[in-house]
Amino acid sequence: MSPKTLYDKIWDAHVVDTQDDGTCLLYIDRHLVHEVTSPQAFEGLRMTGRKVRAPEKTIAVPDHNVPTTLDREKGIENEESRIQVEALDKNARDFGINYYPVSDIRQGIVHIVGPEQGWTLPGMTVVCGDSHTATHGAFGALAHGIGTSEVEHVLATQTLIQKKSKNMKVEITGKLRPGVTAKDITLSVIGATGTAGGTGYVIEYCGEAIRDLSMEGRMTVCNMAIEGGARAGLIAPDEKTFEYVKGRPHAPKGAQWEAALTWWKTLKTDEGAHFDKVVTLKGEDIAPVVTWGTSPEDVLPITGAVPSPEDFKGGKVEAAARSIEYMGLTPGQKLTDIKIDTVFIGSCTNGRIEDLRAAAEILKGKKIAAGIRAMVVPGSGLVRAQAEEEGLAQIFIDAGFEWRLAGCSMCLAMNPDQLSPGERCAATSNRNFEGRQGRGGRTHLMSPAMAAAAAVTGHLTDVRDFMLTHA
Amino acid sequence: MDKFTTLTGIAAPMPLVNIDTDMIIPKQFLKTIKRSGLGKNLFDEMRYNADGSEIESFVLNQPAYRDAQILVAGDNFGCGSSREHAPWALLDFGIRCVISTSFADIFFNNCFKNGILPIVLPQDAVDVLMGDARKGANARMTVDLEVQTVTSSDGQSFGFEVDAFRKHCLLNGLDDIGLTLEKAAAIDAFESSAAQARPWV
Ligand code: SF4
């Protein structure tokens, strides 16, 4: 048998049917659902009298629209948001799918809840009407976002019509330097390949620096595979993965666990398997980075300066000029001179316990700069509870952060957590698009530690210098 | 889904690269539980001032392009989120075809599910069509899916690739779910063998 990649193996294990032109019907093991991209799909089922084929493999949680303020049991003020969440409540009930309502402590961002509850397991196919489904690839699961028509298709058939993508390997060799995190890896990869560099591919991340990451860090890396244009990101499961999964509510137990483990251990790319594209970065070369523009590829080491449009070629010249103007920056300006108004720590990229620990480590015994608005939004109710238990919540509160309830919050600002026009935010989320965090809002993406350091100084800050001067 | 066979219409030029789904339809319009009615908010933040008045310079606000049915766009069109609201908004506005050098994967998929044809062409062909689109309302392009060509207003023709299965579905306006349900026996068979092989799933 010819050697296979990890992607090939998972793919082959899920093909239900293949047509002459290579179009396949792929079986879906887990279908995650949230309130924004599902109402039209459930409506479609009702109109055609169809049922959810595998409700036990379907998991729903409201996250995008939910308020994250402490008084949220009062309900959702915005009528449209409320209707959307209520529609999910009803759809979950009517179709009998697994559900974590707003009132449940397990509620949170869908991509944090899935792994936390053990729904996401190695070797699975996982889809969700959400592009950051790539997150689950950290477990060696083939996971990607789908549109609402496809959500309806999966609900009705538990399959997806797919053509296989090409294989791409992203290898991060060696060790990371102090102050450099999973977020810096994933942003640096996008900086190197561009936001379309992964289009048509499924990426497998590998190499020592990836293996050294915790599961949380691996989720951060895979989360942003989509920002590089890839359909999905994958990391081969290993002992860390099994350790993380073991004992989770929906993970296999007893004899099933042993059987699963036997299969999971085969889930790695064979020696000599073919990759259509290979990108290699040296771990030592990766610096803490921030974005300066309005595309995740607009990324630079924090020691850099705002570029000028002439530094680019083709259509990117106009795009860069537009970005710089939108962001209110001047070419040549040092990145560390950029003053911020707001700090947002959270999202499915960096809303897990390890992210909160990293930010709290920087904030311990310190205060945020005068005039800064800062908030931490844990990725799930359970992350929040754990952070409270570990004393992290108190560190945030003492530093002057707002300590919120779980949800997507200011990552995309569908709830009241929004930037006003011109407001500048250091954010741990994944998209710096125009208007993403609120109309006219300006987003700089970075790691939780970098965002925490910026909160203290009031401007973009090199966390390495910060650690030296604030030790 | 409406069939897509041939289309002759006005093409609007949008040369900006990386036009993302937040630009196509900002999140405040994702709160709907319907598919229709999003056309008025297509490209909302590029198209309207904060007070709701139109930004004159924006291409779809110009008289020549108000009835555009085709977009000629810069690289990597539709990057960002999985929101199908993006193709729904395009369709509701009247756009049935987008031409670019490249598209983001999920957006590309979503177009086919809604009777929109995304066409990938090499840079030089896109440059020619972009130039043609800039001529305004008198320059009508023709897209013929059956023979897989785009023809500019002055008769220059470019062939494009399209997946056989997707083409078949578009030409006939077929519903994917209906097609897949015809394979229910294969899905049943897969499920029972998977239940043996991976009972923990
Ligand atoms: S946290 Fe942000 S990126 Fe993640 S699912 Fe929510 S809105 Fe999407």
Side-chain angles (χ1 to χ4, degrees):
Chain A
M1 248 190 338
S2 59
K4 287 181 178 183
T5 64
L6 171 58
Y7 172 46
D8 298 338
K9 290 182 184 180
I10 305 175
W11 176 274
D12 290 349
H14 290 87
V15 174
V16 173
D17 179 64
T18 309
Q19 295 176 29
D20 294 341
D21 73 339
T23 305
C24 290
L25 200 60
L26 205 64
Y27 193 79
I28 301 303
D29 294 325
R30 291 287 179 266
H31 186 191
L32 308 175
V33 174
H34 67 71
E35 80 278 19
V36 178
T37 53
S38 65
Q40 294 85 352
F42 284 110
E43 196 50 35
L45 293 186
R46 284 202 180 86
M47 275 158 37
T48 46
R50 289 170 180 148
K51 286 210 269 291
V52 175
R53 180 178 171 103
E56 73 286 359
K57 294 174 180 166
T58 311
I59 301 99
V61 59
D63 54 6
H64 285 61
N65 275 289
V66 303
T68 60
T69 43
L70 302 181
D71 59 355
R72 86 167 167 204
E73 70 274 14
K74 281 194 333 217
I76 304 178
E77 235 170 79
N78 179 285
E79 195 187 338
E80 289 172 299
S81 294
R82 198 185 61 240
I83 291 173
Q84 226 170 33
V85 172
E86 284 170 359
L88 188 64
D89 289 340
K90 178 169 165 40
N91 289 328
R93 227 180 15 247
D94 289 0
F95 291 92
I97 62 185
N98 298 288
Y99 190 48
Y100 303 102
V102 178
S103 56
D104 193 311
I105 188 167
R106 296 167 298 177
Q107 178 270 343
I109 304 167
V110 63
H111 308 308
I112 292 191
V113 173
E116 203 168 67
Q117 293 301 319
W119 290 114
T120 307
L121 300 172
M124 282 185 161
T125 45
V126 181
V127 296
C128 174
D130 192 282
S131 55
H132 293 101
T133 310
T135 312
H136 308 264
F139 292 81
L142 176 59
H144 59 85
I146 54 177
T148 300
S149 296
E150 291 175 316
V151 170
E152 186 178 340
H153 191 278
V154 177
L155 288 172
T157 69
Q158 205 57 29
T159 64
L160 200 58
I161 299 172
Q162 285 277 292
K163 265 209 159 165
K164 199 171 173 202
S165 305
K166 289 180 283 186
N167 278 290
M168 174 167 170
K169 172 157 98 169
V170 173
E171 185 174 10
I172 315 292
T173 61
K175 300 266 180 217
L176 298 179
R177 294 191 187 275
V180 180
T181 67
K183 185 65 164 288
D184 301 299
I185 294 181
T186 202
L187 280 170
S188 298
V189 170
I190 297 163
T193 60
T195 47
T199 304
Y201 295 93
V202 163
I203 295 177
E204 180 176 346
Y205 298 95
C206 60
E208 186 181 352
I210 297 290
R211 277 197 307 277
D212 283 352
L213 292 175
S214 65
M215 286 314 294
E216 281 87 353
R218 294 178 189 183
M219 284 188 254
T220 302
V221 169
C222 289
N223 175 274
M224 292 193 73
I226 180 70
E227 252 54 67
R231 172 163 300 169
L234 281 172
I235 295 174
D238 60 10
E239 288 305 324
K240 268 186 209 169
T241 320
F242 309 143
E243 192 53 43
Y244 180 100
V245 167
K246 197 168 186 181
R248 304 244 159 212
H250 297 279
K253 314 250 155 24
Q256 295 226 345
W257 170 263
E258 295 307 324
L261 207 56
T262 308
W263 187 56
W264 293 346
K265 287 183 175 165
T266 68
L267 295 175
K268 49 175 151 246
T269 293
D270 296 330
E271 197 74 46
H274 175 73
F275 284 94
D276 303 279
K277 186 170 176 177
V278 178
V279 173
T280 308
L281 259 59
K282 282 199 193 128
E284 308 84 77
D285 291 351
I286 299 175
V289 291
V290 294
T291 61
W292 53 268
T294 55
S295 164
E297 70 188 12
D298 300 340
V299 63
L300 281 173
I302 180 68
T303 48
V306 177
S308 110
E310 294 80 62
D311 300 342
F312 299 93
K313 287 199 295 279
K316 187 71 188 171
V317 176
E318 192 195 332
R322 188 184 162 97
S323 284
I324 291 167
E325 195 195 324
Y326 178 87
M327 293 295 289
L329 299 172
T330 325
Q333 185 178 5
K334 279 174 64 182
L335 295 173
T336 47
D337 285 345
I338 298 174
K339 290 208 164 49
I340 54 158
D341 307 302
T342 305
V343 175
F344 168 66
I345 296 178
S347 87
C348 59
T349 318
N350 285 125
R352 283 170 287 268
I353 189 70
E354 185 178 286
D355 303 311
L356 304 195
R357 285 185 195 134
E361 185 62 33
I362 297 288
L363 292 168
K364 209 184 284 170
K366 304 199 180 59
K367 294 262 181 254
I368 60 174
I372 299 275
R373 157 162 86 129
M375 64 165 94
V376 191
V377 186
S380 72
L382 291 176
V383 169
R384 184 181 147 92
Q386 188 175 350
E388 287 180 345
E389 208 178 289
E390 293 183 13
L392 310 179
Q394 203 53 49
I395 295 175
F396 285 117
I397 293 165
D398 292 346
F401 271 77
E402 291 177 48
W403 177 243
R404 296 293 192 92
L405 297 175
C408 293
S409 177
M410 207 189 261
C411 174
L412 95 164
M414 271 186 86
N415 75 352
D417 307 339
Q418 303 188 3
L419 297 181
S420 14
E423 192 175 342
R424 189 181 296 284
C425 181
T428 66
S429 45
N430 45 43
R431 286 199 175 127
N432 51 353
F433 296 160
E434 286 180 23
R436 171 78 177 182
Q437 295 194 281
R439 189 178 177 122
R442 296 164 172 164
T443 304
H444 296 276
L445 303 176
M446 64 197 74
S447 72
M450 290 276 284
V456 175
T457 62
H459 54 82
L460 301 188
T461 298
D462 189 334
V463 69
R464 295 167 300 188
D465 298 344
F466 186 92
M467 291 191 298
L468 289 176
T469 52
H470 290 74
Chain B
M1 185 174 88
D2 286 344
K3 290 181 186 178
F4 189 111
T5 49
T6 59
L7 171 70
T8 297
I10 300 164
M14 292 195 77
L16 196 64
V17 299
N18 296 333
I19 291 181
D20 58 65
T21 50
D22 282 69
M23 286 180 183
I24 299 173
I25 186 83
K27 72 233 146 209
Q28 60 270 33
F29 307 108
L30 308 187
K31 296 186 180 184
T32 174
I33 55 171
K34 299 198 302 260
R35 287 172 204 247
S36 55
L38 289 164
K40 61 180 185 300
N41 304 110
L42 175 69
F43 296 117
D44 194 82
E45 289 175 10
M46 302 166 96
R47 198 163 144 205
Y48 304 108
N49 292 304
D51 66 3
S53 60
E54 287 186 0
I55 298 171
E56 262 177 56
S57 59
F58 182 67
V59 61
L60 297 180
N61 288 335
Q62 296 166 18
Y65 299 109
R66 285 186 174 265
D67 296 320
Q69 289 178 282
I70 301 168
L71 287 184
V72 186
D75 308 344
N76 198 26
F77 188 85
C79 59
S81 89
S82 64
R83 60 187 70 162
E84 202 159 316
H85 309 69
W88 292 338
L90 287 165
L91 189 69
D92 197 58
F93 180 90
I95 305 286
R96 292 295 306 274
C97 173
V98 186
I99 301 169
S100 177
T101 55
S102 60
F103 292 88
D105 189 47
I106 305 177
F107 174 83
F108 189 74
N109 263 322
N110 283 342
C111 283
F112 286 98
K113 314 281 179 202
N114 291 283
I116 297 176
L117 175 63
I119 297 179
V120 180
L121 286 174
Q123 187 70 56
D124 45 353
V126 172
D127 290 346
V128 170
L129 294 171
M130 190 73 75
D132 195 45
R134 285 199 167 102
K135 293 180 194 158
N138 297 326
R140 289 172 169 256
M141 282 181 201
T142 297
V143 178
D144 188 331
L145 177 57
E146 182 63 58
V147 297
Q148 299 178 209
T149 55
V150 188
T151 310
S152 71
S153 62
D154 49 15
Q156 280 196 73
S157 225
F158 301 94
F160 61 85
E161 295 294 318
V162 58
D163 222 71
F165 176 68
R166 283 171 161 156
K167 176 178 174 179
H168 173 74
C169 291
L170 268 188
L171 284 172
N172 299 292
L174 293 177
D175 160 30
D176 278 356
I177 299 179
L179 288 175
T180 298
L181 286 175
E182 289 172 13
K183 297 180 179 159
I187 303 174
D188 290 342
F190 180 93
E191 264 179 353
S192 40
S193 71
Q196 297 282 318
R198 297 190 296 277
W200 60 86
V201 171

